[in-house]
Amino acid sequence: MDIFNFKAVCSRTGKGEAYQYSFHNTLPVKSMFYVRLGKSIGDLKELLFQSDASIVGVHCMGGGGKTSLALTLCDDPNIKGCFRNIVFIIVSQSPNLKGILETIWEKIFRRNVPEFQNVEDAHIQLQQRLLKQSKPTLVVLDDVWSRANLEKLLFEARGYKTLVTTRDGSIIPRNPYTRLYQLPLLNKEDALSLFCLSAFGQTSIPSTTDANLVIEVQEECKGLPLALKVVGSSLYGEPHVAWENAKKILSLGESLSSYHSEGVFRCLETSIDCLDDVGRTQATISYRCAPELSFSQHDVMRDLALYLGCQDSIVHRKRLLMPRKEHCLSEEWELLRDRQVNAQIVSIHTGSMAENDWYEMNLSKTEALVLHFSASEYFLPPFLKTMKKLKILIVCNLGSERSTIKGLDALSSLTQLRSVRLERLVAPTIPKQGKVIQNLDKLSLSLCEGFVKMSTFNDTNLQEFNLDHCSDLEELPLAMCHMPSSQSWSLTNCHLVEKLPYNIGNMSFLRMFRLLALPGLKELLVSIGKLEQLEFLDKASLGETFCNPEGNLL
């Protein structure tokens, strides 16, 4: 038996996601669940160890356990003993190929990455370098969607092998050096055990439960691990009538196969139907001393959200989501040109966008806008200035380098804007954003340059302020200490910061102050002792002991 669930230590470099070599169980020891992956692991090892095999493709439908199998394989003693380098990379549907190639270089050669001009240049240099080294290397490319992307991530070298996981086995190139493995779904015994663990916290049916009903619901999941876990968890602690309703809904769905994705979604949709109104709308998080908060989502659950969001006409959807499939806006979105859109949440993922690339859309009812892109330059949508109800704006550059952002002046008219998060961006000029800053409750800047030099922070209502990896930041403006409503400050990974403003004690309502990975900061000013409302001070990695004016440790 091999462990089904694993949590890998993930290194995010902005160039892709690469898993290191240590793996940790995600379940407590007493509730650890084992699924018999032994045969599949053995089959994969047999294929990988064939001397003439350089590519092994693992394929099955989404949620079938491909990633869990691949992670378990990477932790196998025989595999770790055979390969000196093991690199696990999530490719996904919209990969940053240049970033992934940079990550492969970094993880294999353990040295600075060259300045690749583009994907083709990166591939050529990697191929040439791999031919000069003979270390046995295994690169796992997880969740690959297209042959075009895969071909840019494959290499030939002595001792170099690639394991590819995908929903579509046809993307794997057919040649004498390729092996294919179709991962089977769980058998009845293991499927029932996994379902019971999710539904009851044990690997068998409790004696107080209607066993026949449990088996009937479980069998509708057709041995698909993700469906077993999601549906089982959604019925945890639910009354008999909820189980009967789930059985009825599931029985109306299509059979689960690689050709019936809607059947998978209908099966998983029962977990949403089980949510009560509180579960649908509320989520309270108290982070206090937690240094980081994150969660992961299976790609099939992401697809389910997109599927449910597309059931209505594009004009009438409450959530308007455009995943990255095209360089510019989707052709479907042409229907939105010059029309009133009812969506409260809008998410757009594109490549580079110039001012004229955007359609003129009426999003006056939208309250949250998420903009994802991968490009060196990006122009915010001109219709942003008409989004009078907008409260949340997230602009995230998923490329490996910072991107110049334009069109920031549109924010000055958004009087309802309360939260802004910007990631991996460069402000082209110092914008006059006084109005925006005064209205915001929360501002988060990550891997950004130029934004802290805004005109003024005086008399703002900013309650939460987060700065992370702002490489050009040398000192904080004095005016930032005159934000009367500030309750939370986080300053992390800003290596040039050597001191804090002398009047930092003026922030009388500050409750949380986080200072992390600031190698240039050697001391805290005594004025910090004036922060009477301060409940938590995270000064990890500063390496000093700080006291308030009365001599009490902070």
Side-chain angles (χ1 to χ4, degrees), residues 417-434:
L417 193 60
R418 294 294 179 266
S419 177
V420 172
R421 175 173 177 81
L422 307 177
E423 185 170 338
R424 210 179 301 276
L425 302 175
V426 177
T429 57
I430 301 177
K432 296 180 180 180
Q433 300 289 3

Side-chain angles (χ1 to χ4, degrees), residues 89-101:
I89 293 179
I90 300 174
V91 179
S92 75
Q93 190 172 6
S94 304
N96 173 12
L97 294 174
K98 181 170 174 284
I100 290 176
L101 292 170

